[in-house]
Coordinates of all heavy atoms in Angstrom, one line a residue:
G1 N 134.4 65.6 20.4 CA 134.5 66.4 21.7 C 135.5 65.7 22.6 O 135.7 64.4 22.7
V2 N 136.2 66.5 23.4 CA 137.1 65.9 24.4 C 136.6 66.4 25.8 O 136.4 67.5 26.0 CB 138.5 66.5 24.2 CG1 139.5 65.9 25.1 CG2 139.0 66.0 22.8
D3 N 136.7 65.5 26.7 CA 136.4 65.8 28.1 C 137.6 65.3 29.0 O 138.0 64.3 29.0 CB 135.1 65.1 28.6 CG 134.9 65.4 30.1 OD1 134.9 66.6 30.6 OD2 135.0 64.4 30.8
S4 N 138.2 66.3 29.8 CA 139.2 65.8 30.7 C 139.0 66.3 32.1 O 139.8 66.0 33.0 CB 140.6 66.4 30.1 OG 140.6 67.9 30.3
Q5 N 137.9 66.9 32.3 CA 137.6 67.6 33.6 C 136.6 67.0 34.4 O 136.3 67.3 35.6 CB 137.4 69.1 33.5 CG 138.7 69.8 32.8 CD 138.4 71.3 32.6 OE1 137.2 71.6 32.6 NE2 139.3 72.1 32.4
D6 N 135.8 66.0 33.9 CA 134.6 65.4 34.6 C 134.8 63.9 34.6 O 135.7 63.3 33.9 CB 133.4 65.7 33.8 CG 133.1 67.1 33.5 OD1 133.2 68.0 34.4 OD2 133.1 67.5 32.3
F7 N 134.1 63.3 35.5 CA 134.0 61.8 35.5 C 133.3 61.5 34.3 O 132.4 62.1 33.7 CB 133.2 61.4 36.8 CG 133.7 61.6 38.1 CD1 133.2 62.6 39.0 CD2 134.9 61.0 38.5 CE1 133.8 62.8 40.3 CE2 135.4 61.1 39.7 CZ 135.0 62.0 40.5
A8 N 133.8 60.2 33.7 CA 133.2 59.8 32.5 C 131.7 59.7 32.5 O 131.1 60.2 31.4 CB 133.9 58.5 32.0
S9 N 131.2 59.3 33.5 CA 129.7 59.1 33.6 C 129.0 60.5 33.5 O 128.0 60.5 32.9 CB 129.3 58.3 34.8 OG 129.8 59.0 36.0
A10 N 129.5 61.5 34.2 CA 129.0 62.8 34.2 C 129.0 63.4 32.7 O 128.1 64.0 32.3 CB 129.7 63.7 35.2
A11 N 130.1 63.3 32.0 CA 130.3 63.7 30.7 C 129.3 63.0 29.7 O 128.6 63.7 28.9 CB 131.7 63.4 30.2
R12 N 129.1 61.7 30.0 CA 128.0 61.0 29.1 C 126.7 61.4 29.3 O 125.8 61.6 28.4 CB 128.1 59.5 29.3 CG 129.3 58.8 28.7 CD 129.3 57.3 28.7 NE 129.2 56.7 30.1 CZ 130.2 56.5 30.8 NH1 131.4 56.4 30.3 NH2 130.0 56.0 32.1
T13 N 126.3 61.6 30.6 CA 125.0 62.2 31.0 C 124.8 63.6 30.2 O 123.8 63.9 29.8 CB 124.9 62.3 32.5 OG1 125.0 60.9 33.1 CG2 123.5 62.9 32.9
F14 N 125.9 64.5 30.5 CA 125.7 65.8 29.9 C 125.5 65.7 28.4 O 124.8 66.4 27.7 CB 127.0 66.6 30.2 CG 127.0 67.9 29.5 CD1 126.5 69.1 30.2 CD2 127.9 68.2 28.4 CE1 126.5 70.3 29.7 CE2 128.0 69.5 28.0 CZ 127.3 70.6 28.6
A15 N 126.3 64.8 27.7 CA 126.2 64.7 26.2 C 124.7 64.2 25.7 O 124.2 64.6 24.8 CB 127.3 63.8 25.7
R16 N 124.3 63.2 26.5 CA 123.0 62.7 26.2 C 121.9 63.9 26.4 O 121.1 64.0 25.5 CB 122.7 61.5 27.2 CG 123.1 60.2 26.6 CD 122.4 59.1 27.3 NE 122.6 59.1 28.7 CZ 123.7 58.4 29.2 NH1 124.6 57.9 28.5 NH2 124.1 58.5 30.6
R17 N 122.0 64.6 27.4 CA 121.0 65.7 27.7 C 121.1 66.7 26.5 O 120.0 67.3 26.2 CB 121.5 66.4 29.0 CG 120.3 67.3 29.4 CD 120.4 67.8 30.9 NE 121.5 68.8 31.0 CZ 122.6 68.5 31.8 NH1 122.7 67.6 32.6 NH2 123.4 69.6 31.8
L18 N 122.3 66.9 26.1 CA 122.4 67.9 24.9 C 122.3 67.3 23.6 O 122.4 68.1 22.6 CB 123.8 68.7 25.1 CG 123.9 69.6 26.2 CD1 125.2 70.3 26.3 CD2 122.7 70.5 26.4
H19 N 122.0 66.1 23.5 CA 121.8 65.3 22.2 C 123.2 65.4 21.3 O 123.0 65.7 20.1 CB 120.5 65.8 21.5 CG 119.3 65.8 22.3 ND1 118.7 64.6 22.4 CD2 118.7 66.7 22.8 CE1 117.7 64.7 23.3 NE2 117.6 66.1 23.6
V20 N 124.4 65.4 21.9 CA 125.5 65.4 21.2 C 125.5 64.3 20.3 O 125.4 63.1 20.6 CB 126.7 65.3 22.1 CG1 128.0 65.1 21.6 CG2 126.6 66.5 23.0
N21 N 125.8 64.4 19.0 CA 125.9 63.4 18.0 C 127.2 63.2 17.3 O 127.4 62.7 16.2 CB 124.8 63.5 17.0 CG 125.1 64.8 16.1 OD1 126.1 65.5 16.3 ND2 124.3 65.1 15.3
Y22 N 128.4 63.6 18.1 CA 129.6 63.3 17.6 C 130.4 62.6 18.6 O 129.9 62.6 19.8 CB 130.4 64.7 17.3 CG 130.2 65.8 18.2 CD1 131.1 65.8 19.5 CD2 129.3 66.7 18.1 CE1 131.0 66.8 20.4 CE2 129.2 67.7 19.1 CZ 130.1 67.7 20.2 OH 130.0 68.7 21.2
T23 N 131.6 62.1 18.2 CA 132.4 61.3 19.1 C 132.8 62.1 20.2 O 133.5 63.2 20.1 CB 133.7 60.7 18.3 OG1 133.1 59.9 17.3 CG2 134.5 59.7 19.2
L24 N 132.9 61.5 21.5 CA 133.4 62.2 22.7 C 134.6 61.2 23.2 O 134.4 60.1 23.1 CB 132.4 62.2 23.8 CG 131.2 63.1 23.4 CD1 130.2 63.0 24.6 CD2 131.8 64.6 23.3
V25 N 135.6 61.9 23.6 CA 136.8 61.1 24.1 C 137.0 61.6 25.6 O 137.0 62.8 25.8 CB 138.1 61.5 23.3 CG1 139.2 60.7 23.9 CG2 137.9 61.1 21.9
H26 N 137.3 60.6 26.6 CA 137.6 61.1 27.9 C 139.0 61.0 28.0 O 139.7 59.9 27.9 CB 136.9 60.0 28.8 CG 136.9 60.6 30.3 ND1 136.3 61.6 30.7 CD2 137.7 60.0 31.3 CE1 136.6 61.8 32.0 NE2 137.3 60.8 32.4
D27 N 139.6 62.2 28.2 CA 141.1 62.3 28.1 C 141.6 62.6 29.6 O 142.1 63.8 30.0 CB 141.4 63.5 27.3 CG 142.9 63.7 27.1 OD1 143.8 62.9 27.2 OD2 143.4 65.0 27.0
T28 N 141.6 61.4 30.5 CA 142.1 61.8 31.9 C 143.5 62.0 32.0 O 143.9 62.8 33.0 CB 141.8 60.3 32.6 OG1 142.4 59.3 32.0 CG2 140.3 60.1 32.6
S29 N 144.3 61.8 31.1 CA 145.8 62.0 31.1 C 146.2 63.3 30.4 O 147.4 63.8 30.5 CB 146.6 60.7 30.5 OG 146.3 60.8 29.2
N30 N 145.1 63.9 29.9 CA 145.5 65.3 29.3 C 146.3 65.2 28.1 O 146.9 66.1 27.5 CB 146.0 66.4 30.2 CG 144.9 66.8 31.1 OD1 143.7 67.0 30.8 ND2 145.3 67.0 32.4
N31 N 146.5 64.0 27.4 CA 147.3 63.7 26.2 C 146.7 64.7 25.0 O 147.5 65.4 24.4 CB 147.4 62.4 25.8 CG 148.3 61.6 26.7 OD1 149.2 62.0 27.4 ND2 148.1 60.3 26.8
V32 N 145.5 64.6 24.8 CA 144.8 65.3 23.8 C 144.8 66.7 23.9 O 145.3 67.6 23.0 CB 143.4 64.7 23.5 CG1 142.7 65.6 22.4 CG2 143.3 63.3 23.1
T33 N 144.4 67.2 25.2 CA 144.5 68.7 25.4 C 145.9 69.2 25.4 O 146.0 70.5 24.8 CB 143.8 69.0 26.7 OG1 144.5 68.2 27.8 CG2 142.4 68.7 26.7
N34 N 146.8 68.6 25.9 CA 148.2 69.1 25.7 C 148.8 69.1 24.3 O 149.4 70.0 23.9 CB 149.2 68.1 26.5 CG 148.9 68.4 28.0 OD1 148.5 69.4 28.4 ND2 149.5 67.4 28.7
R35 N 148.4 68.0 23.5 CA 148.8 68.1 22.0 C 148.2 69.1 21.2 O 148.8 69.7 20.4 CB 148.4 66.7 21.4 CG 148.8 66.6 20.0 CD 148.5 65.2 19.4 NE 149.2 64.2 20.2 CZ 148.8 63.0 20.2 NH1 147.8 62.6 19.7 NH2 149.5 62.1 21.0
W36 N 147.1 69.6 21.6 CA 146.3 70.7 20.8 C 146.6 72.2 21.5 O 146.1 73.1 21.0 CB 144.8 70.4 20.7 CG 144.5 69.5 19.7 CD1 144.6 68.1 19.9 CD2 144.2 69.7 18.4 NE1 144.2 67.4 18.7 CE2 143.9 68.4 17.8 CE3 144.0 70.7 17.7 CZ2 143.7 68.3 16.4 CZ3 143.6 70.6 16.3 CH2 143.5 69.4 15.8
G37 N 147.4 72.1 22.6 CA 147.7 73.3 23.2 C 146.5 74.0 24.0 O 146.6 75.2 24.2
V38 N 145.7 73.2 24.5 CA 144.6 73.7 25.3 C 145.1 73.9 26.8 O 145.3 72.9 27.4 CB 143.4 72.8 25.4 CG1 142.2 73.3 26.2 CG2 142.9 72.7 23.8
S39 N 145.4 75.1 27.2 CA 145.7 75.4 28.7 C 144.9 76.2 29.4 O 145.1 76.4 30.6 CB 147.2 76.0 28.6 OG 147.2 77.2 27.9
S40 N 143.8 76.8 28.7 CA 143.0 77.8 29.3 C 141.7 77.3 29.8 O 140.9 77.9 30.3 CB 142.8 78.9 28.4 OG 142.2 78.4 27.2
G41 N 141.6 76.0 29.7 CA 140.3 75.4 30.2 C 139.3 75.3 29.0 O 139.6 75.4 28.0
F42 N 138.0 74.9 29.4 CA 137.0 74.5 28.4 C 135.9 75.5 28.5 O 135.7 76.1 29.4 CB 136.5 73.2 28.6 CG 137.5 72.1 28.3 CD1 138.2 71.5 29.3 CD2 137.8 71.7 27.1 CE1 139.0 70.4 29.0 CE2 138.6 70.7 26.8 CZ 139.3 70.1 27.7
P43 N 135.1 75.7 27.5 CA 135.0 75.0 26.2 C 136.1 75.7 25.2 O 136.3 76.9 25.3 CB 133.8 75.2 25.6 CG 133.2 76.6 26.2 CD 133.9 76.7 27.6
V44 N 136.7 74.8 24.4 CA 137.5 75.4 23.3 C 137.1 74.7 22.0 O 136.7 73.4 21.9 CB 139.0 74.9 23.4 CG1 139.9 75.2 22.4 CG2 139.6 75.5 24.8
T45 N 137.0 75.4 20.9 CA 136.5 74.9 19.6 C 137.5 75.3 18.4 O 138.0 76.4 18.5 CB 135.2 75.4 19.2 OG1 134.2 75.1 20.2 CG2 134.6 75.0 17.9
F46 N 137.9 74.3 17.7 CA 138.8 74.6 16.7 C 138.0 74.5 15.4 O 137.3 73.6 15.2 CB 139.9 73.5 16.6 CG 140.8 73.5 17.8 CD1 140.6 72.7 18.9 CD2 142.1 74.3 17.8 CE1 141.3 72.7 20.1 CE2 142.8 74.4 18.9 CZ 142.6 73.5 20.1
V47 N 138.3 75.4 14.4 CA 138.0 75.3 13.0 C 139.1 74.9 12.2 O 140.1 75.5 12.2 CB 137.4 76.6 12.5 CG1 136.9 76.5 11.0 CG2 136.3 77.0 13.4
I48 N 139.1 73.7 11.6 CA 140.0 72.9 10.8 C 139.7 73.0 9.3 O 138.8 72.6 8.9 CB 140.3 71.7 11.4 CG1 140.7 71.7 12.9 CG2 141.5 70.9 10.6 CD1 140.7 70.4 13.7
N49 N 140.7 73.4 8.6 CA 140.5 73.4 7.0 C 140.7 72.0 6.5 O 141.1 71.1 7.2 CB 141.4 74.4 6.4 CG 142.8 73.8 6.3 OD1 143.2 72.9 6.6 ND2 143.7 74.9 5.9
R50 N 140.4 71.8 5.3 CA 140.3 70.6 4.6 C 141.8 69.9 4.6 O 142.0 68.6 4.4 CB 139.8 70.7 3.1 CG 138.3 71.0 3.1 CD 137.9 71.1 1.8 NE 136.4 71.5 1.9 CZ 135.7 71.9 0.8 NH1 136.1 71.6 -0.3 NH2 134.5 72.2 1.1
Q51 N 142.9 70.7 4.7 CA 144.2 70.1 4.9 C 144.6 69.7 6.2 O 145.6 69.2 6.4 CB 145.2 71.2 4.3 CG 145.0 71.3 2.8 CD 143.8 72.2 2.5 OE1 143.4 73.2 3.3 NE2 143.3 71.8 1.3
G52 N 143.7 69.9 7.2 CA 143.8 69.6 8.6 C 144.6 70.6 9.4 O 145.0 70.4 10.6
A53 N 144.7 71.8 8.9 CA 145.4 72.9 9.7 C 144.4 73.7 10.4 O 143.3 74.1 9.9 CB 146.1 73.8 8.7
V54 N 144.7 74.0 11.6 CA 143.7 74.8 12.5 C 143.7 76.3 11.9 O 144.8 77.0 11.7 CB 144.2 75.0 14.0 CG1 143.4 75.8 14.8 CG2 144.2 73.6 14.5
Q55 N 142.5 76.8 11.7 CA 142.3 78.1 11.1 C 141.7 79.0 12.0 O 142.1 80.2 12.0 CB 141.4 78.0 9.9 CG 141.8 77.2 8.7 CD 143.1 77.7 8.1 OE1 143.1 78.8 7.5 NE2 144.1 77.0 8.2
K56 N 141.2 78.6 13.2 CA 140.5 79.5 14.3 C 140.4 78.7 15.5 O 140.0 77.4 15.3 CB 139.2 79.9 13.7 CG 138.5 80.8 14.6 CD 139.0 82.2 14.5 CE 138.1 83.1 15.4 NZ 138.7 84.4 15.6
M57 N 140.6 79.3 16.5 CA 140.4 78.6 17.8 C 139.7 79.6 18.6 O 139.9 80.8 18.9 CB 141.8 78.4 18.5 CG 141.7 77.8 19.9 SD 143.4 77.6 20.5 CE 143.1 77.4 22.3
F58 N 138.5 79.0 19.2 CA 137.6 79.9 20.1 C 137.9 79.4 21.5 O 137.6 78.0 21.7 CB 136.2 79.6 19.7 CG 135.8 80.2 18.4 CD1 135.6 79.3 17.3 CD2 135.4 81.3 18.3 CE1 135.3 79.8 16.1 CE2 135.0 82.0 17.0 CZ 134.9 81.0 15.9
V59 N 138.1 80.3 22.4 CA 138.3 79.8 23.8 C 137.1 80.4 24.6 O 137.2 81.3 25.4 CB 139.5 80.2 24.5 CG1 139.8 79.6 25.8 CG2 140.7 79.8 23.6
T60 N 135.9 80.0 24.1 CA 134.6 80.4 24.7 C 133.6 79.5 24.1 O 133.8 78.7 23.3 CB 134.4 81.8 24.5 OG1 133.2 82.3 25.1 CG2 134.1 82.0 22.9
E61 N 132.4 79.7 24.7 CA 131.1 79.0 23.9 C 130.9 79.5 22.6 O 131.0 80.8 22.5 CB 130.0 79.2 24.9 CG 128.8 78.5 24.4 CD 127.6 78.5 25.4 OE1 127.8 78.9 26.6 OE2 126.4 78.4 24.9
V62 N 130.8 78.7 21.7 CA 130.6 79.2 20.3 C 129.1 79.2 19.8 O 128.4 78.3 20.0 CB 131.5 78.3 19.4 CG1 131.3 78.8 17.9 CG2 132.9 78.4 19.8
T63 N 128.8 80.2 19.3 CA 127.4 80.4 18.7 C 127.3 79.9 17.3 O 128.4 79.9 16.6 CB 126.8 81.9 18.8 OG1 127.6 82.6 17.9 CG2 126.8 82.3 20.2
G64 N 126.2 79.6 16.7 CA 126.1 79.3 15.4 C 126.6 80.4 14.4 O 127.4 80.1 13.5
D65 N 126.3 81.6 14.8 CA 126.7 82.7 14.0 C 128.3 82.8 13.8 O 129.0 83.0 12.9 CB 126.1 84.0 14.5 CG 126.5 85.2 13.6 OD1 126.2 85.0 12.4 OD2 126.9 86.2 14.1
M66 N 128.9 82.7 15.1 CA 130.5 82.7 15.2 C 130.9 81.5 14.3 O 131.9 81.8 13.7 CB 130.9 82.5 16.7 CG 130.5 83.6 17.5 SD 130.7 83.2 19.3 CE 132.5 83.0 19.4
L67 N 130.5 80.4 14.3 CA 131.0 79.3 13.7 C 130.8 79.4 12.2 O 131.9 79.2 11.3 CB 130.3 78.0 14.1 CG 131.0 76.7 13.7 CD1 132.5 76.7 14.1 CD2 130.2 75.5 14.4
Q68 N 129.7 80.0 11.8 CA 129.3 80.3 10.4 C 130.4 81.3 9.8 O 131.0 81.2 8.7 CB 128.0 80.8 10.2 CG 127.0 79.8 10.2 CD 125.6 80.1 9.9 OE1 125.3 81.4 9.7 NE2 124.7 79.3 9.9
R69 N 130.7 82.4 10.6 CA 131.7 83.6 10.0 C 132.9 82.8 10.0 O 133.7 83.2 9.1 CB 131.6 84.6 11.1 CG 130.5 85.5 10.9 CD 130.6 87.0 11.6 NE 131.1 86.7 13.0 CZ 130.3 86.9 14.1 NH1 129.0 87.0 13.8 NH2 130.7 86.7 15.3
A70 N 133.4 81.9 10.8 CA 134.7 81.4 10.7 C 134.9 80.4 9.6 O 135.9 80.3 9.0 CB 135.1 80.7 12.0
M71 N 133.7 79.6 9.3 CA 133.8 78.6 8.4 C 133.6 79.0 6.8 O 134.0 78.5 6.0 CB 132.9 77.5 8.6 CG 133.2 76.8 9.8 SD 132.1 75.5 10.2 CE 132.2 74.3 8.9
R72 N 132.9 80.2 6.7 CA 132.3 80.7 5.4 C 133.6 80.8 4.5 O 133.5 80.4 3.3 CB 131.6 82.0 5.6 CG 130.9 82.4 4.4 CD 130.0 83.6 4.6 NE 128.9 83.2 5.5 CZ 128.4 83.8 6.4 NH1 129.1 85.0 6.9 NH2 127.5 83.5 7.2
P73 N 134.7 81.5 4.9 CA 135.8 81.6 3.9 C 136.4 80.3 3.6 O 136.9 80.1 2.4 CB 136.8 82.4 4.7 CG 136.1 83.2 5.9 CD 134.8 82.3 6.1
L74 N 136.5 79.3 4.4 CA 137.0 77.9 4.1 C 136.0 77.2 3.2 O 136.6 76.3 2.4 CB 137.1 77.2 5.5 CG 138.0 77.8 6.6 CD1 138.0 77.0 7.8 CD2 139.3 78.1 6.1
L75 N 134.8 77.5 3.1 CA 133.9 76.9 2.2 C 133.7 77.6 1.0 O 133.0 77.1 0.0 CB 132.5 76.6 2.9 CG 132.6 75.7 4.2 CD1 131.3 75.7 4.9 CD2 133.0 74.4 3.9
G76 N 134.4 78.6 0.8 CA 134.4 79.3 -0.6 C 133.2 80.1 -0.7 O 132.8 80.5 -1.8
A77 N 132.6 80.5 0.4 CA 131.3 81.4 0.3 C 131.5 82.9 0.6 O 130.6 83.6 0.8 CB 130.2 80.7 1.2
G78 N 132.8 83.3 0.6 CA 133.1 84.6 0.8 C 133.2 85.0 2.3 O 133.3 84.1 3.0
T79 N 133.4 86.2 2.7 CA 133.6 86.5 4.0 C 132.5 87.4 4.7 O 132.6 87.9 5.7 CB 134.9 87.3 4.1 OG1 134.9 88.6 3.2 CG2 136.1 86.5 3.8
T80 N 131.4 87.8 3.9 CA 130.3 88.5 4.4 C 129.3 87.7 5.2 O 129.2 86.5 5.1 CB 129.5 89.2 3.3 OG1 129.1 88.3 2.3 CG2 130.6 90.2 2.8

């Protein structure tokens, strides 16, 4: 995850409260957000294939169902 809009301590507190178990990066210079083309704010979620290419970008909060539908074709489980 990338945070560029909060104080680092606030982002850590938020991540702990939600039991985030993935790496978080504090991007105060917006290098990461600019590189990935994030200009509309957060949250943004990317679905990336095994070759490292972006297949889907969500510019909203993502539900488990939304993520499963986006990932299913990439995992070879069909599109239904």
Side-chain angles (χ1 to χ4, degrees):
V2 177
D3 171 59
S4 68
Q5 299 176 339
D6 302 306
F7 290 110
S9 60
R12 283 192 302 271
T13 300
F14 179 78
R16 270 194 301 274
R17 190 172 71 236
L18 293 180
H19 306 286
V20 171
N21 63 356
Y22 49 82
T23 302
L24 296 173
V25 177
H26 190 67
D27 183 28
T28 56
S29 62
N30 289 318
N31 288 334
V32 175
T33 53
N34 291 338
R35 184 176 297 157
W36 283 85
V38 176
S39 60
S40 58
F42 292 100
V44 176
T45 299
F46 294 94
V47 176
I48 302 171
N49 68 14
R50 293 176 184 183
Q51 292 75 36
V54 174
Q55 300 298 296
K56 179 81 175 169
M57 177 177 162
F58 295 98
V59 186
T60 185
E61 185 175 335
V62 179
T63 66
D65 188 52
M66 292 166 67
L67 197 53
Q68 285 181 358
R69 283 195 309 263
M71 292 180 64
R72 195 172 289 133
L74 302 176
L75 297 174
T79 58
T80 57

